[in-house]
Amino acid sequence: MKTLAVVSHKGGTGKSTLSIHLAVKAQSEGQDTLLVDLDSQSSTVAEWASIRTDKHPLAVTAQVSDITELQQQATDEGFDLLILDCPPYLNDDTDQITRLADYTILPTSPRFADICTLPKGIEKIHQPYSVVLNSCTPDLEGKISFKTAQVYQMLNDSDIPVSPVHIIRLEAFTEALNYGQGVTEYQSNGKASEHIKTLLDWIYMVA
Ligand SMILES: Nc1ncnc2c1ncn2[C@@H]1O[C@H](COP(=O)(O)OP(=O)(O)O)[C@@H](O)[C@H]1O
Ligand SMILES: [Mg+2]
């Protein structure tokens, strides 16, 4: 079983959104997936699961202190993938969680203010990990936007690992959640689905 942790230094960066869409996509590809909501403050995954009709991927709520036991249980029960939607901070809990993970992603918007505060606490993330730029300005005619390109450069200059896959800002990511769906179910041929597929393929490759 592979474990993917989704962490960040603040709320609202897209942890729950990406966790949910990745879990639905992985499940549809035959990877039995357990999605764990570790953010007791916002419980986005739990709320999404409560309006979802399909019971897969299985979504549960847990405390950080239970995570080792939960990982063992998921392995014993034959899950293929465990996705941990983490609380919005980087601290000793992050160290504990990301040690258990095969790979960690840190979604962040490409806003200057978010990128500047990123290095604070980043040493708490156990490698391997990558920042995933989320809610990026839509690409122009197939080309990466100037602003996103600038942020890639900033992260590269700071030696912060960053995923080559970035996610653009699309309403479909939010709308799908309102129906208890993943975006690959909501708009299976849309751009947002394409992004999630590309991100998941990349995670499989590096994890
Ligand atoms: N790529 C995106 N495009 C459009 N909206 C997004 C995108 N990613 C996240 N959002 C929206 O941003 C808000 C915060 O996302 P959320 O996943 O709840 O953040 P976090 O879990 O990090 O606190 C939500 O309303 C979500 O639907
Ligand atoms: Mg969240």
Side-chain angles (χ1 to χ4, degrees):
M1 186 186 73
K2 291 279 183 196
T3 299
L4 173 72
V6 184
V7 306
S8 78
H9 54 316
K10 54 178 283 190
T13 63
K15 289 179 297 301
S16 302
T17 304
L18 295 186
S19 296
I20 291 169
H21 297 311
L22 287 170
V24 170
K25 179 63 181 160
Q27 185 74 42
S28 77
E29 291 183 347
Q31 302 291 311
D32 216 355
T33 302
L34 180 61
L35 174 58
V36 183
D37 193 336
L38 291 168
D39 186 358
S40 54
Q41 300 279 308
S42 79
S43 309
T44 308
V45 167
E47 279 162 29
W48 169 81
S50 73
I51 53 169
R52 183 170 173 78
T53 44
D54 192 337
K55 290 296 158 233
H56 301 280
L58 185 63
V60 296
T61 301
Q63 306 290 320
V64 174
S65 53
D66 298 335
I67 207 66
T68 310
E69 202 180 323
L70 197 135
Q71 189 184 41
Q72 188 55 54
Q73 213 178 330
T75 305
D76 295 345
E77 289 177 15
F79 281 97
D80 302 301
L81 178 65
L82 176 65
I83 298 182
L84 305 172
D85 178 20
C86 296
Y89 47 73
L90 301 176
N91 65 7
D92 290 341
D93 287 349
T94 316
D95 180 74
Q96 189 200 335
I97 296 166
T98 58
R99 256 172 217 281
L100 297 175
D102 295 282
Y103 204 81
T104 298
I105 57 170
L106 186 157
T108 179
S109 85
R111 282 204 309 254
F112 189 68
D114 288 349
I115 299 300
C116 287
T117 50
L118 191 57
K120 231 177 115 196
I122 213 163
E123 78 282 357
K124 296 289 184 190
I125 307 174
H126 209 256
Q127 296 204 8
Y129 76 92
S130 281
V131 167
V132 173
L133 297 180
N134 181 35
S135 278
C136 296
T137 311
D139 298 357
L140 314 154
E141 293 164 8
K143 279 198 187 136
I144 187 169
S145 78
F146 179 68
K147 195 176 146 195
T148 306
Q150 267 188 323
V151 173
Y152 266 111
Q153 190 61 52
M154 275 171 72
L155 291 169
N156 284 330
D157 290 347
S158 312
D159 287 327
I160 295 175
V162 54
S163 162
V165 183
H166 65 278
I167 306 290
I168 61 173
R169 188 175 57 246
L170 290 167
E171 274 310 304
F173 285 115
T174 309
E175 283 164 10
L177 302 187
N178 294 335
Y179 293 94
Q181 291 185 325
V183 80
T184 45
E185 298 166 321
Y186 180 71
Q187 261 184 16
S188 58
N189 293 317
K191 211 168 185 58
S193 289
E194 228 176 85
H195 276 257
I196 291 300
K197 186 183 178 335
T198 309
L199 181 60
L200 186 62
D201 286 348
W202 177 78
I203 290 168
Y204 285 148
M205 202 177 71
V206 292

Short mmCIF file of all heavy atoms in Angstrom, two decimals, residues 9-46:
data_model
loop_
_atom_site.label_atom_id
_atom_site.label_comp_id
_atom_site.label_asym_id
_atom_site.label_seq_id
_atom_site.Cartn_x
_atom_site.Cartn_y
_atom_site.Cartn_z
N HIS A 9 1.20 24.75 4.89
CA HIS A 9 1.51 25.66 5.99
C HIS A 9 0.31 26.52 6.36
O HIS A 9 0.37 27.30 7.30
CB HIS A 9 2.70 26.53 5.62
CG HIS A 9 2.54 27.29 4.31
ND1 HIS A 9 2.03 26.70 3.17
CD2 HIS A 9 2.83 28.57 3.98
CE1 HIS A 9 2.03 27.59 2.19
NE2 HIS A 9 2.50 28.73 2.65
N LYS A 10 -0.78 26.41 5.59
CA LYS A 10 -1.97 27.23 5.88
C LYS A 10 -3.23 26.59 5.28
O LYS A 10 -3.13 25.64 4.51
CB LYS A 10 -1.78 28.66 5.37
CG LYS A 10 -1.42 28.74 3.89
CD LYS A 10 -1.30 30.16 3.45
CE LYS A 10 -2.68 30.75 3.27
NZ LYS A 10 -2.68 32.06 2.64
N GLY A 11 -4.37 27.14 5.65
CA GLY A 11 -5.63 26.63 5.11
C GLY A 11 -5.94 27.24 3.75
O GLY A 11 -5.33 28.24 3.37
N GLY A 12 -6.85 26.61 3.04
CA GLY A 12 -7.33 27.19 1.79
C GLY A 12 -6.41 27.02 0.60
O GLY A 12 -6.59 27.67 -0.43
N THR A 13 -5.43 26.13 0.70
CA THR A 13 -4.47 25.98 -0.41
C THR A 13 -4.89 24.88 -1.39
O THR A 13 -4.29 24.73 -2.45
CB THR A 13 -3.06 25.65 0.11
OG1 THR A 13 -3.12 24.39 0.79
CG2 THR A 13 -2.55 26.72 1.06
N GLY A 14 -5.91 24.09 -1.00
CA GLY A 14 -6.39 23.03 -1.88
C GLY A 14 -6.05 21.62 -1.43
O GLY A 14 -6.18 20.67 -2.21
N LYS A 15 -5.67 21.46 -0.17
CA LYS A 15 -5.35 20.10 0.34
C LYS A 15 -6.54 19.16 0.18
O LYS A 15 -6.42 18.07 -0.37
CB LYS A 15 -4.98 20.15 1.84
CG LYS A 15 -3.64 20.77 2.15
CD LYS A 15 -3.38 20.80 3.64
CE LYS A 15 -4.35 21.65 4.44
NZ LYS A 15 -4.40 23.07 4.04
N SER A 16 -7.69 19.58 0.73
CA SER A 16 -8.87 18.70 0.69
C SER A 16 -9.34 18.51 -0.74
O SER A 16 -9.70 17.41 -1.15
CB SER A 16 -10.00 19.30 1.53
OG SER A 16 -9.56 19.48 2.85
N THR A 17 -9.34 19.59 -1.51
CA THR A 17 -9.80 19.51 -2.91
C THR A 17 -8.96 18.49 -3.69
O THR A 17 -9.51 17.59 -4.33
CB THR A 17 -9.69 20.91 -3.57
OG1 THR A 17 -10.44 21.83 -2.77
CG2 THR A 17 -10.21 20.92 -4.98
N LEU A 18 -7.65 18.61 -3.61
CA LEU A 18 -6.81 17.68 -4.36
C LEU A 18 -6.89 16.27 -3.78
O LEU A 18 -6.94 15.29 -4.53
CB LEU A 18 -5.35 18.17 -4.41
CG LEU A 18 -5.13 19.49 -5.17
CD1 LEU A 18 -3.64 19.81 -5.27
CD2 LEU A 18 -5.74 19.45 -6.57
N SER A 19 -6.96 16.15 -2.45
CA SER A 19 -7.06 14.81 -1.82
C SER A 19 -8.30 14.08 -2.34
O SER A 19 -8.23 12.91 -2.71
CB SER A 19 -7.19 14.94 -0.30
OG SER A 19 -6.04 15.50 0.26
N ILE A 20 -9.42 14.78 -2.37
CA ILE A 20 -10.68 14.16 -2.80
C ILE A 20 -10.61 13.77 -4.28
O ILE A 20 -10.89 12.63 -4.65
CB ILE A 20 -11.87 15.10 -2.55
CG1 ILE A 20 -12.13 15.25 -1.06
CG2 ILE A 20 -13.12 14.61 -3.29
CD1 ILE A 20 -13.11 16.38 -0.68
N HIS A 21 -10.21 14.70 -5.14
CA HIS A 21 -10.20 14.40 -6.57
C HIS A 21 -9.19 13.30 -6.92
O HIS A 21 -9.46 12.45 -7.77
CB HIS A 21 -9.94 15.66 -7.39
CG HIS A 21 -11.03 16.69 -7.23
ND1 HIS A 21 -12.37 16.37 -7.35
CD2 HIS A 21 -10.99 18.02 -6.93
CE1 HIS A 21 -13.09 17.47 -7.16
NE2 HIS A 21 -12.27 18.47 -6.89
N LEU A 22 -8.07 13.30 -6.23
CA LEU A 22 -7.07 12.24 -6.47
C LEU A 22 -7.61 10.89 -6.00
O LEU A 22 -7.43 9.87 -6.66
CB LEU A 22 -5.75 12.56 -5.74
CG LEU A 22 -4.90 13.69 -6.34
CD1 LEU A 22 -3.76 14.06 -5.38
CD2 LEU A 22 -4.32 13.28 -7.70
N ALA A 23 -8.28 10.90 -4.83
CA ALA A 23 -8.82 9.64 -4.29
C ALA A 23 -9.87 9.04 -5.22
O ALA A 23 -9.87 7.84 -5.49
CB ALA A 23 -9.41 9.88 -2.90
N VAL A 24 -10.76 9.88 -5.73
CA VAL A 24 -11.82 9.39 -6.63
C VAL A 24 -11.19 8.83 -7.91
O VAL A 24 -11.56 7.76 -8.39
CB VAL A 24 -12.83 10.51 -6.97
CG1 VAL A 24 -13.78 10.09 -8.08
CG2 VAL A 24 -13.64 10.88 -5.72
N LYS A 25 -10.22 9.55 -8.44
CA LYS A 25 -9.57 9.10 -9.68
C LYS A 25 -8.83 7.77 -9.45
O LYS A 25 -8.95 6.84 -10.26
CB LYS A 25 -8.60 10.19 -10.17
CG LYS A 25 -7.85 9.84 -11.43
CD LYS A 25 -8.79 9.65 -12.61
CE LYS A 25 -8.02 9.28 -13.88
NZ LYS A 25 -8.92 8.65 -14.86
N ALA A 26 -8.09 7.69 -8.34
CA ALA A 26 -7.34 6.45 -8.05
C ALA A 26 -8.30 5.28 -7.91
O ALA A 26 -8.07 4.20 -8.44
CB ALA A 26 -6.51 6.64 -6.78
N GLN A 27 -9.41 5.52 -7.19
CA GLN A 27 -10.41 4.45 -6.99
C GLN A 27 -10.97 3.98 -8.34
O GLN A 27 -11.11 2.78 -8.58
CB GLN A 27 -11.54 4.98 -6.09
CG GLN A 27 -12.56 3.93 -5.71
CD GLN A 27 -12.04 2.94 -4.67
OE1 GLN A 27 -11.38 3.33 -3.72
NE2 GLN A 27 -12.32 1.65 -4.86
N SER A 28 -11.24 4.93 -9.23
CA SER A 28 -11.81 4.57 -10.54
C SER A 28 -10.82 3.79 -11.39
O SER A 28 -11.20 3.10 -12.33
CB SER A 28 -12.28 5.83 -11.29
OG SER A 28 -11.16 6.50 -11.83
N GLU A 29 -9.54 3.91 -11.05
CA GLU A 29 -8.52 3.15 -11.78
C GLU A 29 -8.25 1.81 -11.12
O GLU A 29 -7.27 1.14 -11.44
CB GLU A 29 -7.22 3.97 -11.86
CG GLU A 29 -7.35 5.17 -12.76
CD GLU A 29 -6.06 5.96 -12.90
OE1 GLU A 29 -5.11 5.72 -12.12
OE2 GLU A 29 -6.01 6.82 -13.80
N GLY A 30 -9.08 1.47 -10.12
CA GLY A 30 -8.95 0.15 -9.50
C GLY A 30 -8.06 0.12 -8.27
O GLY A 30 -7.80 -0.95 -7.72
N GLN A 31 -7.58 1.30 -7.83
CA GLN A 31 -6.77 1.36 -6.61
C GLN A 31 -7.73 1.55 -5.44
O GLN A 31 -8.33 2.61 -5.32
CB GLN A 31 -5.80 2.55 -6.65
CG GLN A 31 -4.85 2.56 -7.83
CD GLN A 31 -3.82 1.45 -7.73
OE1 GLN A 31 -3.19 1.27 -6.69
NE2 GLN A 31 -3.68 0.67 -8.78
N ASP A 32 -7.85 0.53 -4.60
CA ASP A 32 -8.77 0.66 -3.46
C ASP A 32 -8.18 1.71 -2.51
O ASP A 32 -7.09 1.53 -1.98
CB ASP A 32 -8.91 -0.70 -2.77
CG ASP A 32 -10.33 -0.90 -2.26
OD1 ASP A 32 -11.14 0.05 -2.37
OD2 ASP A 32 -10.62 -1.99 -1.75
N THR A 33 -8.92 2.79 -2.36
CA THR A 33 -8.35 3.98 -1.71
C THR A 33 -9.08 4.34 -0.42
O THR A 33 -10.31 4.36 -0.38
CB THR A 33 -8.39 5.17 -2.71
OG1 THR A 33 -7.67 4.81 -3.88
CG2 THR A 33 -7.79 6.43 -2.11
N LEU A 34 -8.28 4.65 0.60
CA LEU A 34 -8.82 5.14 1.87
C LEU A 34 -8.40 6.60 2.02
O LEU A 34 -7.21 6.92 1.99
CB LEU A 34 -8.28 4.30 3.05
CG LEU A 34 -8.77 4.71 4.44
CD1 LEU A 34 -10.28 4.59 4.57
CD2 LEU A 34 -8.09 3.86 5.52
N LEU A 35 -9.40 7.46 2.15
CA LEU A 35 -9.16 8.90 2.24
C LEU A 35 -9.40 9.31 3.70
O LEU A 35 -10.49 9.11 4.23
CB LEU A 35 -10.14 9.59 1.29
CG LEU A 35 -10.22 11.10 1.26
CD1 LEU A 35 -8.86 11.71 0.93
CD2 LEU A 35 -11.25 11.54 0.21
N VAL A 36 -8.38 9.90 4.31
CA VAL A 36 -8.47 10.21 5.75
C VAL A 36 -8.46 11.71 5.99
O VAL A 36 -7.52 12.40 5.58
CB VAL A 36 -7.31 9.54 6.52
CG1 VAL A 36 -7.45 9.81 8.01
CG2 VAL A 36 -7.28 8.05 6.26
N ASP A 37 -9.49 12.19 6.65
CA ASP A 37 -9.59 13.60 7.02
C ASP A 37 -8.93 13.80 8.38
O ASP A 37 -9.46 13.34 9.40
CB ASP A 37 -11.08 14.00 7.07
CG ASP A 37 -11.28 15.50 7.14
OD1 ASP A 37 -10.35 16.21 7.59
OD2 ASP A 37 -12.37 15.96 6.76
N LEU A 38 -7.79 14.47 8.40
CA LEU A 38 -7.09 14.71 9.67
C LEU A 38 -7.27 16.15 10.14
O LEU A 38 -6.70 16.57 11.13
CB LEU A 38 -5.58 14.43 9.50
CG LEU A 38 -5.20 12.96 9.29
CD1 LEU A 38 -3.74 12.86 8.84
CD2 LEU A 38 -5.40 12.16 10.57
N ASP A 39 -8.09 16.91 9.40
CA ASP A 39 -8.29 18.32 9.74
C ASP A 39 -9.61 18.51 10.48
O ASP A 39 -10.66 18.74 9.86
CB ASP A 39 -8.25 19.16 8.45
CG ASP A 39 -8.30 20.65 8.73
OD1 ASP A 39 -8.40 21.03 9.92
OD2 ASP A 39 -8.24 21.43 7.77
N SER A 40 -9.54 18.44 11.80
CA SER A 40 -10.77 18.52 12.61
C SER A 40 -11.39 19.91 12.56
O SER A 40 -12.56 20.10 12.85
CB SER A 40 -10.45 18.14 14.06
OG SER A 40 -9.40 18.95 14.51
N GLN A 41 -10.60 20.91 12.14
CA GLN A 41 -11.10 22.29 12.07
C GLN A 41 -12.09 22.49 10.92
O GLN A 41 -13.09 23.19 11.07
CB GLN A 41 -9.93 23.27 11.86
CG GLN A 41 -8.89 23.24 12.94
CD GLN A 41 -9.33 24.06 14.14
OE1 GLN A 41 -9.69 25.21 14.00
NE2 GLN A 41 -9.30 23.45 15.32
N SER A 42 -11.82 21.88 9.76
CA SER A 42 -12.70 22.18 8.63
C SER A 42 -13.50 20.97 8.12
O SER A 42 -14.58 21.14 7.57
CB SER A 42 -11.92 22.82 7.48
OG SER A 42 -11.22 21.86 6.77
N SER A 43 -12.95 19.76 8.28
CA SER A 43 -13.68 18.52 7.94
C SER A 43 -14.29 18.50 6.53
O SER A 43 -15.37 17.98 6.33
CB SER A 43 -14.81 18.27 8.95
OG SER A 43 -14.33 18.33 10.25
N THR A 44 -13.60 19.07 5.58
CA THR A 44 -14.12 19.12 4.19
C THR A 44 -14.39 17.72 3.64
O THR A 44 -15.43 17.48 3.01
CB THR A 44 -13.11 19.86 3.28
OG1 THR A 44 -12.80 21.10 3.87
CG2 THR A 44 -13.67 20.07 1.88
N VAL A 45 -13.46 16.80 3.88
CA VAL A 45 -13.61 15.44 3.35
C VAL A 45 -14.84 14.78 3.97
O VAL A 45 -15.64 14.16 3.26
CB VAL A 45 -12.33 14.60 3.61
CG1 VAL A 45 -12.59 13.12 3.37
CG2 VAL A 45 -11.19 15.09 2.73
N ALA A 46 -14.99 14.93 5.28
CA ALA A 46 -16.13 14.31 5.97
C ALA A 46 -17.45 14.86 5.43
O ALA A 46 -18.41 14.11 5.21
CB ALA A 46 -16.00 14.52 7.47
#
